[in-house]
């Protein structure tokens, strides 16, 4: 009977049972005398073991919710973080005329969350998305509901000579030796880590962004809680109207700026 699992101490057991049986929580509790068959027991045991070994639930279910949509995720893509929803709110408030076909670029799209969410909310926008990893792009393409221009390549190499009204990115920004990484060992390291101070990729993006932004266009970056000052000083040469944002944990998390 599943009752014994429902009251057990396994991590995320209710969600794992739900995944095994394809039933929701209400069903599980209403049918707590249900007997698992052999295959179901085996499937559940594998899930319990992986979860106990620290595999994130999103990699076991293959999905994660972000903003108003559900996204497929694989170990080739970072798992969407709620912090990144902040970038969506900022971007959606940026342009008042929603009918304009603004050109938007999501650099390093991963599973596609930023590009796809924005395109879904604003079908008039022309959205492009890049990633260095062809495997991540395959996941993003599967997640895509709108017409998004996907390009493979490292940062701006993927979109040479193109200009945008808004470039938005959640690049890797964790420091090489950050102890926090131990907890993230199941996610792709290339999506997380960016050199000694975590700023290698952000420096690169800021250095070249002005060649890819239309006059008075915007650059919006997610970053680490302790990187705000350094990023502002990197931006000051070419950008003005620098605006900072905190996430829901009151940590500095995003910077918006406008090409001078
Ligand atoms: N916010 C993520 C974390 O700290 C990192 C994401 C990133 O590097 N872009 O877990």
């Amino acid at each position: 009977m599943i009752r014994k699992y429902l009251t057990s101490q396994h991590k995320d057991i209710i969600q794992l049972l739900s995944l095994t049986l394809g039933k929701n929580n209400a069903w599980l509790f209403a049918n707590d005398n249900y007997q698992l068959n052999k295959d179901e027991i085996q499937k559940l045991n594998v899930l319990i073991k992986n979860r106990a070994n620290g595999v994130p639930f999103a990699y076991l279910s293959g999905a994660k919710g972000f903003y108003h949509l559900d996204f497929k995720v694989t170990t080739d893509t970072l798992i969407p973080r709620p912090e990144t929803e902040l970038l969506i709110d900022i971007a959606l408030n940026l342009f008042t005329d929603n009918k304009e076909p603004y050109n938007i670029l999501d650099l390093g799209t991963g599973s596609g969350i930023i590009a796809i969410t924005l395109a879904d909310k604003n079908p008039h926008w022309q959205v492009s998305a890049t990633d260095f990893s062809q495997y991540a792009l395959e996941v993003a393409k599967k997640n895509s509901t709108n017409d998004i221009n996907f390009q493979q390549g490292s940062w701006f190499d993927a979109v040479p000579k193109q200009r945008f009204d808004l470039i938005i990115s959640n690049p890797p920004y964790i420091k090489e030796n950050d102890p926090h990484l131990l907890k993230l060992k199941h996610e792709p390291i290339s999506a997380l880590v960016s050199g000694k101070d975590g700023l290698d990729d952000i420096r690169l993006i800021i250095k070249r962004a002005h060649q890819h932004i239309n006059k008075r266009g915007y650059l919006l970056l997610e970053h680490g809680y302790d990187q705000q000052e350094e990023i502002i000083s990197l931006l000051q040469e070419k950008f003005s109207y620098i605006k900072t944002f905190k996430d829901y944990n009151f940590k500095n998390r995003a910077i918006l700026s406008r090409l001078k």
Side-chain angles (χ1 to χ4, degrees):
M1 283 202 270
I2 60 176
R3 187 177 305 136
K4 73 164 190 225
Y5 288 105
L6 291 171
T7 53
S8 75
Q9 296 302 310
H10 297 298
K11 206 172 164 113
D12 293 336
I13 186 64
I14 296 169
Q15 290 94 315
L16 296 178
L17 257 179
S18 166
L19 196 58
T20 305
L21 296 173
K23 305 283 187 195
N24 64 21
N25 294 5
W27 187 95
L28 297 176
F29 285 99
N31 297 276
D32 66 350
N33 57 353
Y34 178 81
Q35 291 280 4
L36 295 171
N37 67 33
K38 243 176 141 190
D39 284 354
E40 289 164 346
I41 292 175
Q42 205 188 2
K43 194 172 163 190
L44 179 62
N45 283 339
V46 171
L47 290 172
I48 289 173
K49 193 168 154 218
N50 285 332
R51 190 69 193 97
N53 285 335
V55 178
F57 184 78
Y59 286 153
L60 298 176
S61 68
K64 180 81 182 174
F66 177 80
Y67 220 79
H68 65 305
L69 297 171
D70 263 323
F71 289 85
K72 290 184 184 55
V73 291
T74 71
T75 48
D76 290 309
T77 67
L78 198 70
I79 298 168
R81 307 286 203 268
E83 286 89 338
T84 306
E85 294 181 336
L86 175 64
L87 299 192
I88 303 294
D89 288 330
I90 300 166
L92 291 177
N93 282 321
L94 215 46
F95 305 106
T96 41
D97 183 355
N98 285 336
K99 295 272 181 297
E100 271 289 306
Y102 293 110
N103 255 305
I104 315 291
L105 171 64
D106 174 14
L107 268 183
T109 195
S111 61
I113 53 168
I114 295 174
I116 294 166
T117 305
L118 291 178
D120 196 73
K121 284 275 174 192
N122 272 307
H124 296 93
W125 289 3
Q126 317 237 309
V127 181
S128 300
T130 72
D131 208 284
F132 181 66
S133 155
Q134 99 187 59
Y135 303 109
L137 274 185
E138 279 165 23
V139 177
K141 283 179 190 168
K142 281 191 200 144
N143 279 325
S144 182
T145 43
N146 293 67
D147 193 13
I148 289 172
N149 171 29
F150 288 105
Q151 299 292 339
Q152 193 195 345
S154 173
W155 306 126
F156 292 111
D157 294 349
V159 285
K161 299 194 179 109
Q162 288 184 56
R163 284 187 185 263
F164 303 87
D165 300 306
L166 164 65
I167 296 175
I168 178 166
S169 183
N170 172 20
Y173 54 69
I174 299 179
K175 298 176 188 70
E176 239 159 44
N177 297 320
D178 194 321
H180 174 63
L181 285 169
L182 282 172
K183 285 200 227 139
L184 306 175
K185 62 173 189 274
H186 296 274
E187 295 186 79
I189 188 106
S190 61
L192 292 165
V193 175
S194 190
K196 272 204 174 70
D197 61 357
L199 284 167
D200 281 6
D201 289 288
I202 287 181
R203 265 191 291 270
L204 227 141
I205 292 170
I206 292 177
K207 195 165 170 209
R208 287 183 58 195
H210 69 101
Q211 296 162 335
H212 296 274
I213 298 181
N214 288 326
K215 210 170 165 213
R216 309 288 291 146
Y218 297 95
L219 175 65
L220 174 57
L221 297 170
E222 181 173 323
H223 61 79
Y225 69 95
D226 56 354
Q227 297 172 331
Q228 187 184 85
E229 254 179 66
E230 179 69 26
I231 296 175
I232 290 176
S233 71
L234 290 168
L235 285 167
Q236 271 162 343
E237 187 190 341
K238 296 269 188 325
F239 292 85
S240 59
Y241 179 75
I242 296 170
K243 221 173 150 199
T244 60
F245 299 85
K246 289 187 195 296
D247 64 20
Y248 59 88
N249 284 318
F250 307 104
K251 296 206 163 132
N252 293 322
R253 189 61 66 195
I255 296 188
L256 174 70
S257 60
R258 199 163 193 187
L259 195 60
K260 276 184 186 167

